[in-house]
Structure formats: structure tokens, C-alpha cells
Amino acid sequence: MRARVAFRIEGEDRKGRWLVTCDHASNRVPDWVGGGDLGIPLADMARHIAWDVGAAGVAGALGRLLDSPVILSDFSRLVIDPNRGEDDPTLVMKLYDGTIIPANRHAGAQEVERRLDRLYRPYHAAYARLAALRPDRVILAVHSFTPCLRGRAPRPWHVGVLYSPLDARFSKPLIARLTREPDLCVGDNEPYSGHLPGDAIDRHALRLGRMNTLLEIRNDLIGVPAHQAHWAARLAPILTEVLEAL
């Protein structure tokens, strides 16, 4: 594993076909952003608004089981969101799920450009390099979602498979396979659509014709390492089975 300011890579030399990604792996705030503090309580920094709770552990375990490299962001999505296009209005959030982000309220174009240069662009450059190491690369993006947004209905899904209608080659068979698991409630492009122009899958998979899928696991199911390992162990053979069938 090699450490970087903007990202971490695990198993770069692994021979598997997958590239496992975790865009929202960390809730770290670099010390050059607000002195390492976005101005919100620690309890909020531990919530889904700052990172994808449990996703990094699942991604790392899947990389080991699939013998494939993993790339993980090393900055909070509230600093800048690597799963948004550079021109997306939600790239630097000022309000998220009821929480105002003081350090972002007056972040102008110059500050956003600084975060792009020091965090967002290095992450995507490393992502692109790893993806290009195999011509038959399959992108497996790992995320997690909160069981309930404030003021919204509870989300029943254990796992969601997100995809763009532009390329559902892998995701549709994966959904069909997962729905055969009798104890799983599987979301088909739930809890939200998987097509967002300019996001990481669009940038590194759709535009280049790479097979891809995005897994969203409900974060109350993967809050501790043992549960993260359990989900990775359950999903890895299913992912392998579907890919082999294709």
C-alpha cells in the first residue's frame, strides 16, 4: 500500500481484472482547509454527509478477494466531492442533509480550484492510470448509503446496484443474480439513479467503454470491520460468477 495526500492505493500489482474504487473512503479534512476543520461537529463528520461509512473496509476486502487493485480517496467529500464533475454545482457542498458547512459557505472559485488541484485531480489521475493497466478492466465502485435521510422515508434496500442506461452490461445480470438471494432486498438504481454526467463512472468507464457497476450498501450493515469483511466475502464470489458468465 502506498500513501498519498489525495488517495491511497492497495495492491497495485495484483493481477485481477477489476479496479475497485472508493470515492468517499475518508472523512479527513487536510490541515490547509480550515485548519483541518470544516466547522461542523465531530458527530456530523462521522455521518454519511462526510464520507461513505464502512465503504473503505468493504472495498479493501473486495480487492484482496478479487486479487485486484483498489483506489481510495483520502479526503472528505465535504472538502470536494470526487464523484462529481468539475462543473457540478454540488462539487463543494454548502448544505447537506440539514447540516450547514461553514468552511464552504464562502469558498469561491479560487478556493475550489485549489482543492481541485491538490485533491480531486490527483485522485482522478491515479484512478485513470490504474484503470488503464489492463485493456479489459472492469470498474467496481463501492459506496454506502444512509438508512434514512432527514425527513424522508426509510430506505429498505440492503444493497443497491447503480448504473447508467448507456451501459448496463454488467449491472443488469448482477441485479438478477443478487435478487436470487432470498434474504436480500436489492435496489435497481436505488436509492438513486446511477447516471450522473461527469461522475467517476462516467469519466473512467462510460466514456471509454469499460464495463462497470456501482454498489451501494446500506451503512448500518457495514459499520464495523467484521461486517465489512462479511459483505465482501458474500459479494466477491457473486461478482466473479457474473463476470465469468459474461
Side-chain angles (χ1 to χ4, degrees):
M1 181 175 72
R2 297 188 300 169
R4 292 291 187 271
V5 172
F7 58 88
R8 294 184 294 118
I9 294 173
E10 299 177 0
E12 180 170 343
D13 296 329
R14 292 172 184 158
K15 303 303 183 185
R17 185 175 173 185
W18 307 87
L19 173 60
V20 184
T21 72
C22 192
D23 299 323
H24 301 145
S26 173
N27 61 357
R28 185 179 75 90
V29 180
D31 58 10
W32 49 269
V33 177
D37 187 344
L38 294 175
I40 63 176
L42 290 177
D44 275 332
M45 287 303 299
R47 295 176 60 219
H48 72 99
I49 65 171
W51 63 330
D52 280 357
V53 177
V58 176
L62 279 170
R64 292 188 292 274
L65 292 167
L66 297 170
D67 191 31
S68 294
V70 184
I71 184 167
L72 308 101
S73 69
D74 197 22
F75 54 92
S76 172
R77 67 191 296 173
L78 292 180
V79 175
I80 192 163
D81 193 333
N83 197 34
R84 296 293 185 273
E86 291 196 16
D87 58 351
D88 193 298
T90 65
L91 181 69
V92 177
M93 294 287 282
K94 295 174 170 54
L95 173 70
Y96 194 178
D97 196 22
T99 297
I100 294 172
I101 319 302
N104 292 347
R105 290 183 68 182
H106 304 294
Q110 185 175 356
E111 174 61 19
V112 172
E113 184 66 21
R114 185 170 73 128
R115 299 183 194 185
L116 284 166
D117 277 343
R118 295 187 67 171
L119 299 170
Y120 179 103
R121 290 172 183 146
Y123 172 75
H124 281 290
Y127 190 142
R129 182 181 64 79
L130 290 170
L133 291 177
R134 285 190 61 141
D136 59 349
R137 186 69 87 193
V138 180
I139 305 297
L140 171 61
V142 180
H143 291 253
S144 71
F145 65 94
T146 185
C148 188
L149 290 169
R150 290 178 178 175
R152 305 285 184 88
R155 293 162 158 177
W157 309 282
H158 300 114
V159 60
V161 179
L162 275 56
Y163 58 92
S164 167
L166 298 175
D167 185 0
R169 285 176 293 168
F170 187 85
S171 295
K172 283 292 191 181
L174 177 60
I175 292 168
R177 174 62 184 83
L178 286 169
T179 54
R180 286 164 40 197
E181 300 289 303
D183 60 330
L184 288 186
C185 180
V186 180
D188 182 336
N189 258 347
E190 297 286 1
Y192 23 74
S193 169
H195 184 51
L196 182 64
D199 70 3
I201 288 289
D202 182 45
R203 179 172 183 162
H204 297 286
L206 296 179
R207 296 179 190 178
L208 298 166
R210 291 189 179 111
M211 206 179 312
N212 65 89
T213 196
L214 188 154
L215 291 177
E216 286 271 5
I217 305 170
R218 207 175 68 207
N219 68 22
D220 60 326
L221 304 176
I222 54 172
V224 298
H227 295 165
Q228 296 157 19
H230 166 80
W231 272 89
R234 182 170 190 178
L235 290 169
I238 293 174
L239 291 162
T240 300
E241 175 188 330
V242 173
L243 185 59
E244 289 177 349
L246 291 171

